[in-house]
Amino acid sequence: MNLATLSERATDVSDPRAGLRAVVSLRALADSLELRQVEAALAAGMNWQAIADALGVSRQAVHKKYAKRVDQRLLNARSRA
């Protein structure tokens, strides 16, 4: 299912079951995209505070959520730099 269809289903309140399933799919997509962007930010040299500021959360929150999920090679390369 494409993004436009998911968005339509998520906003259509005539079938709550389909709408809720669409919301779950959109949330999974957003989480996946956020992880990719956090990895890209780390690879670009951004620190946890800058990433947190961009996401509108605390440094502790973003570190807790992603420190173990990001490609560990990014963190290892940063610690050697």
Side-chain angles (χ1 to χ4, degrees):
M1 187 176 313
N2 67 36
L3 184 57
T5 303
L6 278 174
S7 297
E8 285 177 27
R9 287 194 181 167
T11 58
D12 182 358
V13 295
S14 67
D15 184 354
R17 289 181 196 275
L20 290 168
R21 286 191 303 270
V23 167
V24 169
S25 294
L26 288 169
R27 186 176 296 126
L29 175 60
D31 287 344
S32 174
L33 293 172
E34 187 173 286
L35 173 60
R36 289 181 64 192
Q37 291 298 338
V38 167
E39 288 180 330
L42 290 169
M46 289 175 69
N47 62 29
W48 289 112
Q49 185 62 58
I51 295 168
D53 291 344
L55 292 172
V57 298
S58 71
R59 182 193 61 78
Q60 292 85 355
V62 77
H63 187 266
K64 181 178 179 180
K65 184 174 182 178
Y66 290 109
K68 293 182 181 177
R69 292 179 59 198
V70 298
D71 184 340
Q72 293 304 302
R73 293 173 292 187
L74 291 171
L75 298 179
N76 293 338
R78 289 171 55 88
S79 66
R80 283 184 254 135

